[in-house]
Amino acid sequence: MRSTSGLHEECGVFGIVGGPQTRAARATYYGLYALQHRGQESAGIAVSTGNEILHHKAMGLVSEVFDEKRLATLPGSMACGHVRYSTSGRSLVVNAQPLVVRYRGGALALAHNGNLVNAPSLRATLEQEGVIFETSIDSELIANLVARADTGNIVEAVLSAMRVIRGAYALVIMTPDTLIGVRDLDGIRPLSIGRSEDSWMLASESCAFDAVGGTLVRDVEPGEVVTLNRSGVMSHPSGLARPERLCIFEFIYFGRPDSVMGASTMYVVRKRAGGLLAREAPARADIVVPVPDSGTSAAVGYAETSGIPFAEGFVKNSYVGRTFIQPEQSLRATGVDLKLSVLVDVVRGKRVVLVDDSIVRGTTILRLIRKLRAAGAVAIDLRVASPPIVCPCHFGIDTPSRGELIATSLDAPAICRRVNADSLAYLSIRGLREAVGGKGSCDACFSGQYPMDVPDEGNKLGLEQAEVEHATR
């Protein structure tokens, strides 16, 4: 069963074709390293030798799973890779990706970021037809559907699978001779195309292209299938696409600050959100302090717009992972103490505007406010650069159940009292949409308006229990 301690990233995918025969695995390693913020549980790389697919995957960070010796065992000029945090399926090595499937038509490797809302019914149907699954993740359903439909035209097989699956997905699929990118019909999960002098690439974020000396070309469109080779990119529209609804949390938190989605870097969007927050919810204070690193860009925007000086009130231990990666709340709380310390000389005797990107359960921000008060801050006005989170995500972000989201049971004044702040204000949905720049986004976690029918929470929890039972039988 997956953790419900807070918001967790989804996954990161990368693919490359072209360049020297020995370069693809190494380039994928660097690409995944740049995407490490999207998942820290497992990492994997698959390569094509032209005749077969070789792969290696294991639990751990990219730098823990791969070294020079391991990369040397993965020759080829085409590769795909994956970093994972489990939003569907248990945290086990068997669920690590890329998945490599061998079938009557050949072989494929698949790396998936997202979540299918009709996974339980698809799994039940396929099991009734005699399919035996090796993992508890919905990505294996996609691989199985593509393999079953492949009669010699892999693109048609992918399009066939897209007509059956429902949900969010950014896919990098590799056969021995083809690299394929696929984005879900609503464009909920991001996927971009990049290039270097002699290679073409796919990645969840453009920062991965920068890491290997490449540049961003464009986003894969909603419902689009692209095939890549040394000569370039060929587009295969599915004819099923709907208006783009890119996950708004990519802009709030998940995307790396230097990544570009739409026309702006994540840093610019977050800074803009902070400025709008300052106009919507001004405060009288001496300094603006971010919750690092997630609140830093918004805090810069708040400070610039309000005229209140920006100050670093916390020092961060860069060698401690993100606190919400811990699987249990007790460990998560310990992680906060290890990760952030207060700069007492900065906050003592000051009225502080504390800026964070979001509040999920309220436990982390409560501990930080306690630290600030213990260090001598005389007032703390909490400002949040996103609206209250009131609904769980079904599309690839591991959110707590509805009952564990603090904003579902408490209004802003009650949350303010709970976390011991002097005041609390959130950025409005209208303000957040303005900060994003009008790009179509899925904001169901704030609005409850999902882009498609989703299972109720009881069904969601039932699926998690089924996954545990599957993994233990």
Side-chain angles (χ1 to χ4, degrees):
M1 179 146 340
R2 61 184 186 261
S3 165
T4 58
S5 62
L7 280 184
H8 298 264
E9 288 104 327
E10 322 113 4
C11 300
V13 298
F14 184 86
I16 186 169
V17 60
Q21 185 73 10
T22 59
R23 180 173 178 259
R26 184 175 295 276
T28 302
Y29 171 87
Y30 291 128
L32 294 180
Y33 204 94
L35 297 172
Q36 187 75 85
H37 59 285
R38 299 185 71 88
Q40 297 87 30
E41 286 190 354
S42 65
I45 295 174
V47 298
S48 169
T49 66
N51 298 312
E52 61 177 336
I53 294 175
L54 307 175
H55 74 289
H56 175 71
K57 56 186 179 179
M59 305 303 291
L61 302 175
V62 176
S63 59
E64 296 169 339
V65 174
F66 294 98
D67 56 20
E68 290 283 354
K69 184 177 180 180
R70 179 63 66 180
L71 291 173
T73 67
L74 298 171
S77 59
M78 181 164 58
C80 67
H82 188 271
V83 289
R84 180 175 189 259
Y85 182 83
S86 57
T87 61
S88 172
R90 301 182 73 206
S91 180
L92 300 170
V93 69
V94 70
N95 290 334
Q97 298 185 41
L99 296 178
V100 175
V101 178
R102 294 174 176 84
Y103 57 101
R104 69 181 186 282
L108 64 83
L110 181 143
H112 171 212
N113 170 28
N115 201 60
L116 302 184
V117 298
N118 65 337
S121 60
L122 284 176
R123 180 182 287 271
T125 298
L126 291 171
E127 286 180 333
Q128 288 175 358
E129 295 177 3
V131 175
I132 298 174
F133 291 98
E134 297 181 357
T135 75
S136 62
I137 56 176
D138 55 2
S139 309
E140 190 178 8
L141 293 169
I142 302 173
N144 189 280
L145 290 169
V146 172
R148 286 160 63 95
D150 185 7
T151 58
N153 186 325
I154 188 64
V155 172
E156 287 299 324
V158 171
L159 292 171
S160 174
M162 292 173 70
R163 299 183 188 102
V164 177
I165 59 178
R166 291 178 50 248
Y169 50 89
L171 307 174
V172 176
I173 301 172
M174 182 181 71
T175 68
D177 59 7
T178 306
L179 188 67
I180 303 167
V182 188
R183 196 166 173 213
D184 65 77
L185 308 185
D186 298 280
I188 298 172
R189 299 269 69 86
L191 187 65
S192 298
I193 301 168
R195 70 171 304 177
S196 62
E197 183 177 347
D198 56 3
S199 304
W200 287 87
M201 294 168 279
L202 295 162
S204 296
E205 295 182 39
S206 63
C207 63
F209 304 141
D210 299 333
V212 296
T215 57
L216 173 67
V217 175
R218 68 173 179 89
D219 293 335
V220 177
E221 297 296 325
E224 184 182 18
V225 178
V226 294
T227 52
L228 286 70
N229 58 37
R230 293 175 181 271
S231 301
V233 180
M234 182 173 293
S235 174
H236 311 268
S238 65
L240 304 170
R242 295 185 284 263
E244 185 174 37
R245 298 288 299 276
L246 176 63
C247 173
I248 207 161
F249 250 95
E250 294 288 348
F251 297 97
I252 296 168
Y253 179 78
F254 291 128
R256 215 172 77 168
D258 56 332
S259 287
V260 177
M261 294 185 191
S264 301
T265 63
M266 301 298 95
Y267 173 82
V268 168
V269 172
R270 292 165 191 167
K271 182 181 174 184
R272 190 183 300 144
L276 291 165
L277 179 59
R279 287 197 282 269
E280 290 186 0
R284 296 184 64 184
D286 301 308
I287 54 175
V288 176
V289 171
V291 175
D293 291 319
S294 58
T296 300
S297 302
V300 170
Y302 194 102
E304 287 190 2
T305 299
S306 66
I308 303 171
F310 175 91
E312 294 184 5
F314 294 97
V315 61
K316 179 182 177 183
N317 182 346
S318 299
Y319 299 97
V320 178
R322 295 184 177 189
T323 56
F324 53 54
I325 296 306
Q326 304 295 342
E328 297 177 2
Q329 183 58 31
S330 60
L331 290 178
R332 183 170 180 252
T334 302
V336 173
D337 289 335
L338 290 172
K339 182 179 177 183
L340 296 175
S341 298
V342 179
L343 291 169
V344 177
D345 291 342
V346 173
V347 304
R348 183 190 294 122
K350 298 293 197 305
R351 297 170 300 171
V352 175
V353 175
L354 181 62
V355 180
D356 203 357
D357 67 292
S358 60
I359 298 178
V360 184
R361 296 178 61 165
T363 50
T364 297
I365 201 69
L366 170 62
R367 295 179 68 85
L368 295 181
I369 289 175
R370 285 176 177 169
K371 281 176 171 283
L372 289 173
R373 293 199 184 280
V378 297
I380 301 169
D381 295 302
L382 179 58
R383 297 295 181 264
V384 184
S386 63
I389 301 172
V390 295
C391 293
C393 178
H394 295 269
F395 305 123
I397 299 175
D398 186 15
T399 54
S401 62
R402 187 186 299 270
E404 292 178 293
L405 296 168
I406 192 170
T408 63
S409 58
L410 300 177
D411 60 13
I415 295 172
C416 183
R417 292 190 294 272
R418 174 72 64 85
V419 302
N420 195 27
D422 292 284
S423 72
L424 166 63
Y426 293 88
L427 182 64
S428 66
I429 290 184
R430 180 178 179 180
L432 180 58
R433 290 170 178 166
E434 182 179 344
V436 169
K439 189 175 181 65
S441 302
C442 174
D443 56 19
C445 50
F446 307 128
S447 67
Q449 298 174 355
Y450 295 98
M452 66 190 76
D453 291 336
V454 297
D456 61 36
E457 196 150 300
N459 287 340
K460 184 179 181 182
L461 296 176
L463 172 58
E464 291 174 347
Q465 183 60 40
E467 288 167 348
V468 173
E469 294 172 353
H470 172 87
T472 56
R473 67 171 181 250

